[in-house]
Amino acid sequence: MTAGPAPGPLAWADQARHEWAALQRRCVRRLPPAGVYEPRALRRTALWPFSQVLHAGVLVDGPGSASAARLLRMLEAYRWGDGWAERPGARRRYYDDDAWVVLALLDLGDDPAMRLARRAWGFLRTGAVDVPGRGTGIRWVEGSPTLHACSTGAVGLAAARWRGDGGPADGLAASCADLLLSMRGDAGLVGDHLRPDGSVDPTVHAYNQGLLVGLLGALGRHGEAIDAADRTMAAFPLEALWEHPAAFDAVLVRELVRLPSAEGRLRRRAYAEAWARRVVDEARDPGTGLLSRGMRRYDDGVVLDHAAVITALAEMSAVTV
C-alpha cells in the first residue's frame, strides 16, 4: 500500500482500511486485559482516544463485524453509571468523551449499539444548562461551571443524528446550535467555551468549527452550514490546519465531506483531499507504520490522532462528489 492514493472514494476506502489494519496491529490487544493501548504502554488509553478507535472500527468494518463487537466489549471497561469514565476504573466523566462514543454508536446503529446509546443519553442530558437568550450548553466535565463548544457540539450532533426511540425529542440539538452560534467571534468562528460570567474564551479550534458545520447540516439548516464551512476553510488554509492536532482536523474534515449540500461540495472535497494527502504522504512513522510524524499531535500518544484520521478517510470514501 502506498501513501497518497489517487482521488476517489475507492482509493480512500483502501487507505482507511490500511490505516485501520496498522492501528489494530500496534494498538489493539485481544489478550487480557484486552483494550486499546499506546505502543509499548502498560495501561489502556483514555476514553477520548478509545472513542475515535471505536468510531474508526465502526466506519471501516461496520455493523456485525467482529472488530465492532470486540470494541464494544472493550468499552465496558470504561463504564461508570449510565456513561463512561475517562479511564478504566476511574469515576470522572467528561461529557464530550461520552458524546464521541455515542456518535460512533449511532453510526453503528445496530441493536446492541443503540441500547448503549440510550443508556448513555440519560447521563449526557445531565450536562445540559439552559442559558437565557443564547440556547443550551453542555458542561465539559461533571461539576464544571464552563460550557464547552466541544461538548455542546458533540452532544447536539448526537441529538440531531438520533434515530428511533429512547433518545432526544426535545429540541436540544437546535438549542445547542444556537449556543454555538452565540459563541462566534468577529470572524464567525466558534470560541472554546462559555464562562459563568457569560464571556467567551475566544480560542479557536478546528474541531469546534466542524461540529457546528455538522450540527447545522444535520438540522437541515444548509445555508448556515455552508456559510460556517466557508468561513472555516478561509480561516484554516492547509498550512494553518497543519498546525492544529490531527484529531481536531479530522473532525472538521469528516463533517465537511458529510455535509449534505451540493453547493460548495467540490470545494469542500478538494480541501479535505489536500489535507488527507499530506497526512498520508508525510506523517508515516516507518518504525510503527502509524501516522505520527511531522503533523501536530493532541498529546504524547499516537492512537487518538491516527484513529481520528481513519474516521476522516472513511467518511471521504463513503461520500461521493
Side-chain angles (χ1 to χ4, degrees):
M1 182 74 188
T2 59
L10 291 178
W12 292 119
D14 286 344
Q15 192 75 47
R17 285 191 290 269
H18 175 73
E19 307 303 350
W20 176 234
L23 183 67
Q24 289 190 95
R25 283 194 304 269
R26 299 290 305 195
C27 302
V28 180
R29 301 182 192 174
R30 302 184 187 185
L31 297 177
V36 176
Y37 293 75
E38 294 290 346
R40 297 180 294 279
L42 297 178
R43 68 172 182 168
R44 286 167 285 196
T45 64
L47 184 62
W48 167 215
F50 181 88
S51 72
Q52 300 309 291
V53 174
L54 174 63
H55 213 156
V58 165
L59 293 176
V60 173
D61 289 340
S65 65
S67 63
R70 185 181 307 116
L71 288 165
L72 289 183
R73 291 193 297 272
M74 293 174 179
L75 176 62
E76 281 303 297
Y78 297 82
R79 182 173 178 176
W80 180 249
D82 289 342
W84 301 280
E86 60 177 328
R87 283 189 179 276
R91 296 187 178 185
R92 185 166 55 177
R93 295 180 294 188
Y94 287 82
Y95 289 100
D96 61 326
D97 288 356
D98 281 36
W100 296 121
V101 173
V102 169
L103 285 168
L105 296 174
L106 293 177
D107 275 345
L108 187 55
D110 59 13
D111 287 343
M114 292 308 297
R115 282 196 296 272
L116 291 175
R118 284 191 291 270
R119 188 194 76 195
W121 188 254
F123 164 65
L124 290 179
R125 199 65 180 84
T126 67
V129 178
D130 293 329
V131 182
R134 302 184 78 158
T136 301
I138 309 296
R139 301 183 193 277
W140 183 42
V141 63
E142 288 183 282
S144 169
T146 55
L147 307 177
H148 280 240
C150 60
S151 47
T152 301
V155 171
L157 189 56
R161 288 184 176 157
W162 197 279
R163 300 186 299 274
D165 60 2
D170 56 359
L172 178 62
S175 195
C176 286
D178 290 342
L179 189 90
L180 291 181
L181 290 170
S182 82
M183 292 172 62
R184 294 187 300 178
D186 293 340
L189 300 176
V190 180
D192 184 68
H193 62 268
L194 183 67
R195 303 183 182 103
D197 64 3
S199 63
V200 175
D201 181 321
T203 306
V204 171
H205 295 297
Y207 73 150
N208 290 331
Q209 318 315 312
L211 286 168
L212 177 61
V213 170
L215 178 50
L216 292 171
L219 288 168
R221 294 160 61 172
H222 293 165
E224 292 174 273
I226 292 166
D227 177 70
D230 288 345
R231 289 175 182 270
T232 301
M233 291 187 293
F236 292 95
L238 185 59
E239 286 301 324
L241 198 64
W242 198 250
E243 295 303 314
H244 285 245
F248 289 4
D249 298 345
V251 173
L252 170 62
V253 165
R254 74 191 190 210
E255 295 305 330
L256 288 175
V257 299
R258 194 166 180 166
L259 182 58
S261 176
E263 182 182 344
R265 183 175 294 164
L266 288 173
R267 184 170 61 253
R268 294 190 296 273
R269 182 80 184 194
Y271 179 90
E273 290 194 341
W275 171 81
R277 283 199 198 95
R278 182 168 183 180
V279 171
V280 298
D281 282 348
E282 298 183 20
R284 181 91 50 211
D285 182 336
T288 65
L290 300 175
L291 301 170
S292 61
R293 297 183 66 184
M295 63 184 186
R296 186 176 170 191
R297 304 206 304 261
Y298 177 78
D299 54 22
D300 292 335
V302 300
V303 169
L304 170 60
D305 296 291
H306 185 99
V309 168
I310 296 171
T311 68
L313 297 174
E315 287 289 359
M316 290 167 61
S317 72
V319 181
T320 57
V321 176

